[in-house]
Every structure is written in C-alpha cells, then in structure tokens.
C-alpha cells in the first residue's frame, strides 16, 4: 500500500516548456487535490477533483490544467512554464470531503 | 484573506520543554487537521479532529468549535520533533492551510 505517490520528485524546466506531474493513489479515494507551497504562504489549492472524470478550479488555477481519467490518477499539466510557477507541488487525496488527507512527498519544480 | 491563522510562526525550545502551537480559523469546518512537514520532506497527517481532544504519544490536539480555535501540544519535546507544523481546516470541497509553525528543539 503505497498511499499517494508523486512523480517526478524534482524537475528543472526552461521558460515555455511543458510538463505533466502525476499523482497516483491506491486507496480508492474519491477526492484528489493539487496544491502549491511557496515560502511564507500556506498551501494553495490549484485544482481538485471529486471523482473520476470531474475537475474543478481552486484558488490559483491559472497556467495549469488537470485531468482525472482514472480514479487513481490525477495529472497536473503546465503547458508553458513560467518562473512564477517555481514551487513545491503537493498532491493529496481524501476518501470523502473533510476526511483525513493523505499527501504525496512533493515535487520541487524550478522554472528558469 | 487568511482563513487559518497560526501562532507562533517560529518556535525554539529546549529538549524536554512543553510546546503549544495555536490555530484559529474563520470558516465553517467539517474537520481540522494538524500536519507535520520535515525539512525537504513530505507532509504527514498527525491528527484529524472535529471536537474535543485527541492524543497520540507525546502529541495532544484540542479543538474548541465555538471559539474556532485549536491547539497542538507536544510534551517532553525532542530534537526529532523539529519540523513545520501546519494547521488545516476542511471546508466544503477543499482545505485551507495556515502558513505553518517552524519548531526547532535544541538538545
């Protein structure tokens, strides 16, 4: 039982490049979330999903897209990376709204 | 706007000291979570509570729903407790996070 797994763990991108972050959970959780963590700020919600095939915008969705084609996977895409997207990205999942959250180990992304 | 406020932001303690971290929130919640993040590491859930008090080893978490306030206590602190502690509240379809309390326990 791996819990929540994020890949990759580290990545350096050049401005304008694209990439996809993968979040996989093996707990059959309905809810999945993508957050970014920046110094001096709390985690901020980028996008979330309340079930397979559904996604919704969070607090800071601009510049990101997501997909939830399979219940266990939640993908976060950057189509044209910008230096402002340099951050640590965390994925989380919960079985239902408001229940215990399980987090991935984070992805440290640097855009130069 | 800050839906969740934590205090203090930074805390240094001697090994063995009793530590308290506070969290206040302004939204209606389904549950409050205390999380731990070690330097360069992932985030681990310590507690989830919606009323009263929970204890796990040397850690105790309390919540007062009427006052919209929670505290995390660490008894007999140890250097391995050094980490960032984050308060998060579950509200509607998402969580709101505090900015964290950075704790350093000195031997």
């Amino acid at each position: 039982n791996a819990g929540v797994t994020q890949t990759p763990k580290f990545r350096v991108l050049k401005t304008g490049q694209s990439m996809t972050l993968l979040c996989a959970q093996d707990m059959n959780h309905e809810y999945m979330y993508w957050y970014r963590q920046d110094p001096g700020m709390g985690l901020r919600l980028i996008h979330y999903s309340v079930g397979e095939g559904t996604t919704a915008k969070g607090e800071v969705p601009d510049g990101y897209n997501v997909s939830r084609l399979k219940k266990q996977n939640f993908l976060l895409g950057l189509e044209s990376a910008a230096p402002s997207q340099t951050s640590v990205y965390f994925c989380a999942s919960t079985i239902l709204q408001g229940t215990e959250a399980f987090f991935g180990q984070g992805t440290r992304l640097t855009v130069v | 706007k800050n839906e969740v406020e934590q205090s203090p932001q930074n805390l240094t303690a001697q090994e063995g000291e009793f530590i308290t971290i506070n969290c206040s929130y302004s939204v209606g919640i389904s549950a409050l979570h205390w999380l731990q993040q070690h330097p360069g590491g992932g985030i681990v859930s310590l507690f989830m509570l919606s009323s009263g008090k929970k204890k796990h080893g040397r850690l105790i978490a309390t919540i007062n729903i009427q006052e919209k306030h929670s505290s995390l206590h660490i008894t007999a602190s140890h250097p391995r407790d050094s980490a960032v502690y984050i308060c998060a509240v579950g509200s509607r379809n998402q969580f709101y996070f505090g900015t964290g309390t950075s704790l350093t326990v000195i031997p």
Side-chain angles (χ1 to χ4, degrees), chain A residues 48-104:
Chain A
Y48 65 98
S49 169
V50 301
E52 180 180 322
T54 72
T55 63
K57 294 181 179 180
E59 182 184 354
V60 288
D62 294 341
Y64 306 95
N65 57 75
V66 289
S67 65
R68 184 107 181 259
L69 298 179
K70 294 182 179 181
K71 187 176 184 179
Q72 63 267 35
N73 295 336
F74 194 30
L75 279 64
L76 178 71
L78 287 72
E79 289 188 349
S80 180
S84 61
Q85 293 177 304
T86 293
S87 187
V88 180
Y89 292 85
F90 285 96
C91 174
S93 71
T94 61
I95 189 166
L96 289 172
Q97 176 187 345
T99 56
E100 183 179 8
F102 293 80
F103 287 84

Side-chain angles (χ1 to χ4, degrees), chain A residues 31 33 35 37 40-43 45 48 90 94 97-101 103-105, chain B residues 30-31 33 35 37 40-43 45 48 86 91-95 97-99:
Chain A
Y31 287 65
Y33 312 81
Y35 295 94
Q37 186 181 40
M41 306 183 76
L43 277 78
L45 182 65
Y48 65 98
F90 285 96
T94 61
Q97 176 187 345
T99 56
E100 183 179 8
F103 287 84
Q105 288 297 303
Chain B
S30 52
H33 305 252
L35 311 170
Q37 184 176 27
I43 297 172
S45 176
M48 182 185 74
I86 301 170
S91 180
R92 297 187 291 276
N93 283 330
Q94 61 176 294
F95 294 94
F97 295 84
T99 55

Side-chain angles (χ1 to χ4, degrees), chain B residues 76-105:
Chain B
S77 59
H78 189 277
R80 65 174 174 267
D81 297 325
S82 298
V84 175
Y85 292 84
I86 301 170
C87 174
V89 298
S91 180
R92 297 187 291 276
N93 283 330
Q94 61 176 294
F95 294 94
Y96 296 94
F97 295 84
T99 55
T101 295
S102 179
L103 171 65
T104 302
V105 181

